[in-house]
Amino acid sequence: MRLNLRGALGTTTCCDGCPHNGYGMNIFRKEKKEKSIIAIKEQRAAYVFLIPAFLGLSLITYLPLLAALIVGFTDLTVFMLVRGEAPSFVGLENFRFIFTNPSINFLNSIYVTIYFALFAIISSVIYSMFIAVLLNRKMPGRTFLRAVFYIPYILPSAAVMISWFFLLRYEGGLVNYILVNMGFDRVHFLSSADTVIPALVMIAVWTCGNLIVIFLAGLQNVPRVYMEAAEVDGANFWQRFWRITIPCMTPIIFFNMLMSLVVNLQVVVPALAVTSGGPGQSTMFMTYLLYHFGPRTGQYAFASAMAFVFFLISALLAAVIFLTSKSWIFYEGDDK
Amino acid sequence: MSGFVKSSERKLSTQKFGGLQSKRRTNTVFNIISFILIVSIAAVVLLPIWWIFRSSVMGSQGIFLWPPTFFPLGTLNVTEWLWSNYIINPASFNFWLNLRNSLTITVPCVIFGTATAISCAYAFARLRFRGKKFLFSLCVGSMLMPAAVTLVPLYMAWSALGLVPSYWPLILPYLCGGGAFNIFLLRQFIRTVPRELDEAAKIDGAGYFRTLVSIIVPSIKSAIIVVALLIFITTWNDLLQQMIYIHSRESYTMVLGLTSFFGTFRTDFAGMFAATVMTILPPLVIYIFGQRYFVEGIVMTGMKN
């Protein structure tokens, strides 16, 4: 009887696969006995609909990942592929090589990548949250203003980098002109090893319109009831922001941090378009090294070993965000 | 005694009204301050884009004038601006050829990427099947996979297939799914479509494909536009992949053409800026047309899980 009731409920709600409701799966199991033909047809249709996407996922994402992990332990190069020679396993030799060879300076590359990524994630999440909260208020021209902040995101990053290269020039750059007029000293920005990463972070922050939009989407879901209750209780803007908006937004902050992590760890366009890894080796990002050792020079084994390390680092950082998330993410309905 | 009561009453009432009024006043002040703040930040955000355009209609000498002028050549008279910068020697930046090449890549990517993303999202949003949770987490999990990791094996695979250099390695991945984020976004939208519509279609005898095409797709038009635009922008802007798989000048895309122009012709700054404007323009125009779907579309879904 109880099961039947559940089944009846389940057909009217649309919560299939939704973590808050197990009914969807229950009816499926139950219906399989009674009207298995419909269920099987539905399942078959679903798999057909999924074929293209999962063909892509397996061939473009998961299988190459596996390949990268394997090739990293062999001595494969482009010449061996051309000559048709079989690669042999060399154990950890590639890893020893990339970490100890001073001309590769892989540790430096890891350092600058992580430095840039963490700096960029934190700055762009704070900036986009701030802008989103401001844009969420009622004001004249709100739609237009929202559209403006998305523009940098849609521009080709190569064009963006080249334009910023000119804006940040030491001689005659607009930013330095403004700085001088405000009474500051000129800054080298992209032409000095100390300032190049902060300058690139600034550009990354300028570009993060997608995070703003996702934050805006999240702000729509902050329950108005809480806000009104707090207002009645006399909470001011800051109190409401810290006690209601931020806790309700933690899942979105979490999502944006992960998205931002993936994007910023793969940073490569500044190096490809403008800096070529310089000044010095201060923008030798990991993806740039991968590009150099893989497609450019065909040292597949070294490149795959680097990709393996890259994968470990990104998994590690994602794991840190995931594991700490339990302590700071607030889900509605939690007693905390 | 009575005087005391009166005074306390008065005190209470003034406190009450005074409190409300001051609150309203601080709110207005706050609104004005936040409006000014956001408008000035928006101006700062737009400034670099204006600067690129400004520099593109000045001569090579004008660009390095000190102090720099806000308007091109210090004048608002459009006829005095050096539009001739936009006539770039095709040997260094061939606009029409690059545009055609870029579109050869982006158009199939947009069409097939959007179509396959819709079909996948429909299955995840509406249909029941074994292993749904697992497949969905595989799909969403791929968002966390840096594409750089698969760069080398994919390059090896494409060259083994003899497809390097060609456009195929840039197009074929989009025939399969068009990105996990897009699938996720479309799934969120499809879940907002009332299930009654599906049921009605089913009763009328429509199959799953028919339901998808004639019920779901028309009701999530704005989301489809968003996804199509996102795919257009990612494929148009993807410098790394294009650098890897495109080798000859005749097949250069817009961003590749611009980058190589920047690398080799560093003296022709006016042409450089004109080329930058030309590279930026197509995504910008498309964004301006689709803008009302774009931001508001994503915002309205609420990205609820």
Side-chain angles (χ1 to χ4, degrees), chain B residues 19-36:
Chain B
L20 268 183
Q21 265 170 0
S22 75
K23 199 169 172 220
R24 203 169 294 150
R25 206 174 303 134
T26 48
N27 252 342
T28 336
V29 170
F30 203 78
N31 277 338
I32 293 171
I33 292 175
S34 60
F35 182 67
I36 293 172

Side-chain angles (χ1 to χ4, degrees), chain A residues 126-141:
Chain A
I126 291 173
Y127 163 82
S128 50
M129 180 81 191
F130 175 72
I131 298 293
V133 169
L134 284 181
L135 283 176
N136 200 39
R137 302 173 68 83
K138 280 204 174 69
M139 58 174 77

Side-chain angles (χ1 to χ4, degrees), chain B residues 230-297:
Chain B
L230 282 174
I231 295 180
F232 177 86
I233 286 161
T234 34
T235 49
W236 185 273
N237 297 353
D238 193 353
L239 179 66
L240 177 64
Q241 302 277 343
Q242 293 177 5
M243 254 190 178
I244 292 173
Y245 293 113
I246 300 173
H247 296 170
S248 68
R249 256 180 187 283
E250 297 80 64
S251 34
Y252 266 13
T253 57
M254 294 292 282
V255 285
L256 264 185
L258 176 66
T259 316
S260 75
F261 189 28
F262 177 72
T264 43
F265 296 87
R266 282 208 179 179
T267 39
D268 183 11
F269 288 116
M272 175 65 252
F273 278 109
T276 310
V277 171
M278 288 192 256
T279 313
I280 284 176
L281 216 55
L284 195 63
V285 167
I286 285 185
Y287 171 67
I288 288 168
F289 276 111
Q291 165 268 322
R292 88 195 143 95
Y293 301 101
F294 224 43
V295 176
E296 301 299 322

Side-chain angles (χ1 to χ4, degrees), chain A residues 19-39:
Chain A
H20 304 299
N21 190 333
Y23 300 145
M25 298 313 283
N26 273 343
I27 351 161
F28 173 65
R29 286 202 191 105
K30 201 171 172 315
E31 275 179 1
K32 212 175 127 192
K33 276 179 205 153
E34 288 166 13
K35 5 176 184 170
S36 58
I37 300 162
I38 291 179

